[in-house]
Amino acid sequence: MSTAPRFDRLLCGLRLVTLADAQGYGLIEDAALGFVGEHIAYAGPLSGVSAAARTQAREIECFDNALATPALVDCHTHLVFAGTRAPEFEQRLQGVSYTDIAAAGGGIRSTVRATRAADEDALFAASLPRARALLHDGCATLEIKSGYGLDVDSELRMLRVARRIGAALGISVRTTLLAAHALPPEFDGRSDAYIEHVCSEILPAAHAAGLVDAVDAFCEGIGFSPEQTRRVFAAAQALGLPVKLHADQLSDLGGAALVAEHGGLSADHIEFTSDAAVQRMAERGTVAVLLPGAFLCLRETRLPPIESLRTHGVPMAVSTDCNPGTSPLLSLRLAMNLACTLFRLTPEEALRGATLHAARALGLKDRGALRPGLRADVAIWPLQDPAELSYWLGGAGPERLYVGGAPVVG
Ligand code: DI6
Ligand code: FE
């Protein structure tokens, strides 16, 4: 009798990109993956699977030397919203800046108007195809933020829609409350009062409804001040919720250092982040989330401090920032390409950034690599070289995607 576990699913004919070690792809040729329930029970050479385990596996699938990677994790999206900002895209092409559009009542506020006007089913119908595009690009885990509702009802509606998307597609969705994204018109000139409303009404209501996995804020000249961000973080931490931050995207307000000081999960964007702040991130284990789609669309020129992040050993994640204003990007693989092309990440860093480090930016330790004990979230690609995941601009997604051991795509 074999003592090996009986696999619910055994995949063979694979080349594994395990990312199991601190460096390198962790490539294993002529390999197999065994799943038990929702988890990986075996990841290694096919020769390590006994004949008994092969014959006893409930399902066996053989591939033709396909590449298997951890399923992708998109750790920063704003994909639940109504309407588009295509007209503003045209304005920006005429030379009007993102900041000018925001100051004139457009920008985030125009999406807030459309999102508030949409009922839950309409919002779900508008948003689901965007999540599906990311799924077919290889993502089994998506983070989705609120932040286009800016009142109790509309913020909770956005978060419910995000959770419904996860259930409808059979993938993991992590929800982040971003009520401190922009000042709603009814609070014009009273940003402190709005922050108070976020802390005493919106956050407690969303938390009581069980809809919040983390709390985020937009700390920026056109967003909220470091002092206001501190108040949001204090309220979140009083409820035991992890924090993350849109930090130092357009200017250096010290956002990355602020979120690190709070032991936050991630500092996102960070184009203007200083070396000293990177040091704080390293000390507190705060992940750097790189968002090259927004960098591209805003035609930014100030690069995030990549070399400093490497030197200090800060894990770099890569994400789409999928949103209607600054990054209408529906492919995490394209974000990986942009991270390489624009930020000079290596394809290996980009892949780790869109899997293991992205999971870490969400506080998830159970995914992002191919190792026994981790979730069986696995993408199978018709590719030869793992660098191809960052190399192609567009093209077919994975031929198969397993989420918790079950095929969801292919
Ligand atoms: N930074 C971003 O990249 C998005 N939000 C933020 O704070 C942009 C959101 C939008 O323009 O709708
Ligand atoms: Fe964002």
Side-chain angles (χ1 to χ4, degrees), residues 78 85 98 108 148 181 218 246 249 269 321 323-326:
H78 310 245
R85 301 245 288 281
Y98 180 65
I108 294 174
Y148 294 121
H181 191 197
F218 186 27
H246 281 73
Q249 179 187 7
H269 289 289
D321 195 17
N323 78 69
T326 61

Side-chain angles (χ1 to χ4, degrees), residues 36 51 93 98 165 217 279 301 390 400:
V36 174
L93 291 173
Y98 180 65
I165 286 171
Q279 175 95 47
T301 52
S390 297
R400 194 85 103 240

Side-chain angles (χ1 to χ4, degrees), residues 247-250 268-273 291-292 294-295 300 302-305 343:
D248 311 334
Q249 179 187 7
L250 308 170
D268 302 37
H269 289 289
I270 66 165
E271 278 81 347
F272 285 81
T273 295
L291 304 166
F295 179 92
E300 285 184 62
R302 168 81 174 228
L303 290 164
F343 296 168

